[in-house]
Amino acid sequence: MEYRSFNQAMKERFGCKVYKLALDGGLTCPNRDGTLGTRGCIFCSSAGSGEFSAPARGDIPKQLAQAKARVEQKNKGGKYIAYFQSFTNTYGPLPYLEAIFRQAMAPEDVAALSIGTRPDCLPPAVVELLQTLSREKPVWVELGLQTIHLETARYIRRGYDLAVYDDAVRRLKSAGLEIITHVILGLPGETRVDMVETARYVGRAGGDGIKLQLLHVLEGTDLARDYRAGKVPVLSLEEYISILEDCLAVLPPDMVIHRLTGDGAKRDLLAPLWSGDKKRVLNAIRTAFQRDNVRQGSRYLPQEKLDTGSIPVNKTGGNNHDQN
């Protein structure tokens, strides 16, 4: 079993265990404030995927203290990643963004800043700010891509074309910033081939890391409505692990795998219920990877490095926020 795990990469880089501290910057999203839509992406909860961030919304020092308190027994002497997770964390006034980012980076034991956002919310002034901050500590930009496929992107109400992602990757890399791309496996209507194509595209695009996450259905989302109507099949644990193995095979061997699964708050989880037992899921993944001798990059061809915009794969994920 060989893959470049987050824990392995962080120990090599920082020399110790590193934990992410989920933060809420008090921001919103163009898919919620009326710019593109008002209901968010179809799978997104009212917390903007930030269920595990500290409760003191907008008060960054207090959130950091609360988040550290939850893991300090497991991370004695370790370092942290300040992770702006909820909603779209480059979608706000520049002075405010600079203030909250600097507050998050200030503690000595914070090794890096990670910012979850959308590729269409990275104007030049924001990229310049992030570049400036990266001269002090590493800055990672986490882009919510989810899929490269047109029909799926419309269904989930992503609200931007794939070319926007390509452009964001180019500009961020030119600024010397690190990129982590979020991909959801198990989106309705997608085959195994579709999911692996998305992983392959992300691997070719030039980013530094990837988060592979299971589609889970949460109460209060529009996806929950479709699930109850029988429109959303969910993967079994065995199916999910098999797809994970295929995705890892087509990724560059040096790409950091920041996540192999994902779980929502158990109180809101509708399906698949097996995903609520995180320990069992991770053990099953580890066992299967060892059994199948999984090797990240075993089917990755370096000469296929992507010239973004040149691969004719269902490339555009247009704005269709009125759907559903």
Side-chain angles (χ1 to χ4, degrees), residues 195-217:
M195 298 175 218
V196 175
E197 281 180 348
T198 292
R200 181 181 287 113
Y201 192 97
V202 170
R204 293 171 176 172
D208 304 279
I210 190 170
K211 283 187 172 180
L212 295 162
Q213 175 159 328
L214 167 75
L215 177 73
H216 50 264
V217 184

Side-chain angles (χ1 to χ4, degrees), residues 190-258:
E190 291 204 348
T191 65
R192 174 189 297 259
V193 170
D194 293 331
M195 298 175 218
V196 175
E197 281 180 348
T198 292
R200 181 181 287 113
Y201 192 97
V202 170
R204 293 171 176 172
D208 304 279
I210 190 170
K211 283 187 172 180
L212 295 162
Q213 175 159 328
L214 167 75
L215 177 73
H216 50 264
V217 184
L218 300 178
E219 286 282 10
T221 63
D222 287 346
L223 186 66
R225 179 201 61 198
D226 284 2
Y227 173 74
R228 288 193 169 99
K231 299 178 182 178
V232 182
V234 293
L235 297 172
S236 69
L237 176 57
E238 293 74 19
E239 288 171 329
Y240 181 70
I241 293 174
S242 179
I243 293 166
L244 267 184
E245 293 182 345
D246 282 350
C247 289
L248 287 177
V250 301
L251 291 172
D254 59 345
M255 177 170 270
V256 179
I257 310 303
H258 285 249

Side-chain angles (χ1 to χ4, degrees), residues 256-273:
V256 179
I257 310 303
H258 285 249
R259 180 182 290 166
L260 284 171
T261 182
D263 52 343
K266 289 184 182 180
R267 64 181 181 276
D268 297 324
L269 181 65
L270 282 180
L273 292 178

Side-chain angles (χ1 to χ4, degrees), residues 162-163 166-167 170 201 306-313 315:
L162 185 56
D166 295 339
D167 179 64
R170 281 193 293 264
Y201 192 97
L306 176 65
D307 175 11
T308 51
S310 66
I311 294 182
V313 182
K315 283 202 54 167

Side-chain angles (χ1 to χ4, degrees), residues 1-13 17-18 140 208-210 248 252-260 282 286 289 296:
M1 176 179 69
E2 297 179 15
Y3 73 95
R4 188 159 174 74
S5 70
F6 173 77
N7 284 339
Q8 171 194 348
M10 294 306 99
K11 285 179 181 177
E12 291 174 2
R13 184 168 187 175
K17 183 81 172 177
V18 177
W140 306 342
D208 304 279
I210 190 170
L248 287 177
D254 59 345
M255 177 170 270
V256 179
I257 310 303
H258 285 249
R259 180 182 290 166
L260 284 171
L282 292 175
R286 191 177 301 110
F289 281 9
Q296 180 180 336

